[in-house]
């Protein structure tokens, strides 16, 4: 038990130092965004697909969708298939997940798609392709890290509409996996945040104050909390940076999606941000999306916009 707390305290201390954290004010933005997710209902997702889709069929769906969205994106998809960036795994392990990355040693982009042979493959391809489109291999961009998940989730939402509008056979997927997992992601982020806050106040985490933190959550969060604690102690580092981008991404995606549904011209925001993330800083993206902010936080009007659009999306499902 003592060793576990040593690992936990070291992980928190390392995070605070490496992120140059001044105090709780550095956590305000992600705390408030996480509260939006936690205070709203969980997204329902039906993992069961009644029909199998071959890679050829999924490839056709993706190509037609991208062509309808933006012909350049279809061309980009074809280019990435031809240059070997996209790796389709026909016999993946059960725990394999799709991802996109860059290998600096081989100077090569990678888009890995473990095939499920259902419509899920089409969603995975679109999601990871969007990541690749806004990847600039010449620089490490913190703005992209914060926002790229939102653009990929938005791509999935638009694919979902595309399938519904065309009555794709046996499409019974009320929403995509990314938004389905937001509640669990929010619980994980919330626990990370509360561990940091308690550490900043007490200077350590022990059995007593850990129980104080866990008592903040309802009983049905127990499994997610347990998994998060295991991940932190097993990896010996907090998971906040990795997981908070899904919180930002989910709210940005539903916000941008509503803007597109209200005015189709706003689809240009997806295309333009995919190109401009490499140049913009965090605040410039907020300006672009008409979300007001101050020196350390979003303005209440911005949080209201994000929550209203998120609630509207949930209500439509």
């Amino acid at each position: 038990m003592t060793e576990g707390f040593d690992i936990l305290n070291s992980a928190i201390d390392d995070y605070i130092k490496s992120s140059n954290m001044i105090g709780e004010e550095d956590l305000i933005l992600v705390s408030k965004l996480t509260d939006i997710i936690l205070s709203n209902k969980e997204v329902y997702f039906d993992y069961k697909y009644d029909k199998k889709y071959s890679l050829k069929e999924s490839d056709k769906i993706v190509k037609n969708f991208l062509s309808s969205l933006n012909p350049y994106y279809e061309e980009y998809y074809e280019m990435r298939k031809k240059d070997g960036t996209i790796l389709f795994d026909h016999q993946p392990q059960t725990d394999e997940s799709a991802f996109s990355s860059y290998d600096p040693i081989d100077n090569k982009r990678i888009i890995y798609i473990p095939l499920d042979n259902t419509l899920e493959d089409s969603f995975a391809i679109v999601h990871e392709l969007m990541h690749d489109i806004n990847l600039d291999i010449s620089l490490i961009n913190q703005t992209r890290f914060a926002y790229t998940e939102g653009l990929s989730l938005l791509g999935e939402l638009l694919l979902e509409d595309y399938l519904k509008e065309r009555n794709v056979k046996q499409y019974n997927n009320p929403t995509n996996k990314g938004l389905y997992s937001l509640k669990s992601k929010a619980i994980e982020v919330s626990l990370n945040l509360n561990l940091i806050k308690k550490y900043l106040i007490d200077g350590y985490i022990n059995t007593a104050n850990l129980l104080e933190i866990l008592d903040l959550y309802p009983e049905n969060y127990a499994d997610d909390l347990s998994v998060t604690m295991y991940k932190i102690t097993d990896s010996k580092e907090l998971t906040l940076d990795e997981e908070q981008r899904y919180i930002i991404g989910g709210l940005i995606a539903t916000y941008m999606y509503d803007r597109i549904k209200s005015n189709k011209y706003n689809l240009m925001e997806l295309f333009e941000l995919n190109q401009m993330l490499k140049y913009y800083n965090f605040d410039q993206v907020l300006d672009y999306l008409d979300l007001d902010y101050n020196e350390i936080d979003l303005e209440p009007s911005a949080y209201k916009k994000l929550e209203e659009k998120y609630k509207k999306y949930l209500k439509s499902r």
Side-chain angles (χ1 to χ4, degrees), residues 161-289:
D161 282 352
Y162 173 87
L163 295 173
K164 288 179 177 177
E165 290 166 3
R166 286 155 182 79
N167 296 311
V168 172
K169 188 177 181 181
Q170 297 186 13
Y171 175 66
N172 65 350
N173 181 15
T175 189
N176 59 72
K177 278 187 179 179
L179 288 174
Y180 167 78
S181 65
L182 270 190
K183 195 80 167 189
S184 291
K185 297 287 187 184
I187 295 169
E188 181 168 351
V189 169
S190 176
L191 181 55
N192 274 261
L193 292 171
N194 281 322
L195 286 169
I196 294 172
K197 291 174 183 177
K198 182 63 72 173
Y199 186 92
L200 289 172
I201 295 170
D202 294 347
Y204 57 85
I205 299 294
N206 61 14
T207 301
N209 58 19
L210 177 59
L211 289 175
E212 288 178 15
I213 293 172
L214 297 178
D215 282 343
L216 297 172
Y217 300 96
E219 290 185 7
N220 61 316
Y221 287 8
D223 288 344
D224 287 306
L225 294 169
S226 178
V227 169
T228 301
M229 289 299 299
Y230 173 78
K231 287 170 67 174
I232 293 172
T233 53
D234 182 58
S235 65
K236 299 182 180 180
E237 59 184 18
L238 295 186
T239 60
L240 178 58
D241 281 350
E242 180 67 21
E243 303 304 331
Q244 68 180 346
R245 61 198 180 109
Y246 294 99
I247 304 303
I248 298 170
L251 293 173
I252 289 293
T254 51
Y255 174 72
M256 293 181 67
Y257 176 72
D258 185 79
R259 288 165 68 89
I260 293 168
K261 299 295 284 185
S262 300
N263 183 347
K264 291 184 177 180
Y265 177 77
N266 287 330
L267 184 59
M268 290 299 298
E269 294 178 349
L270 170 62
F271 309 146
E272 291 176 357
L273 281 181
N274 260 333
Q275 296 301 315
M276 299 304 293
L277 283 186
K278 67 185 72 174
Y279 304 115
Y280 282 175
N281 61 36
F282 190 91
D283 291 349
Q284 286 174 310
V285 176
L286 296 176
D287 285 330
Y288 182 85
L289 293 175

Side-chain angles (χ1 to χ4, degrees), residues 131 146-155 245 248-250 252-254 256:
H131 281 318
Y147 289 109
T148 184
E149 201 62 38
L151 300 184
S152 286
L153 289 171
L154 176 58
R245 61 198 180 109
I248 298 170
I252 289 293
T254 51
M256 293 181 67

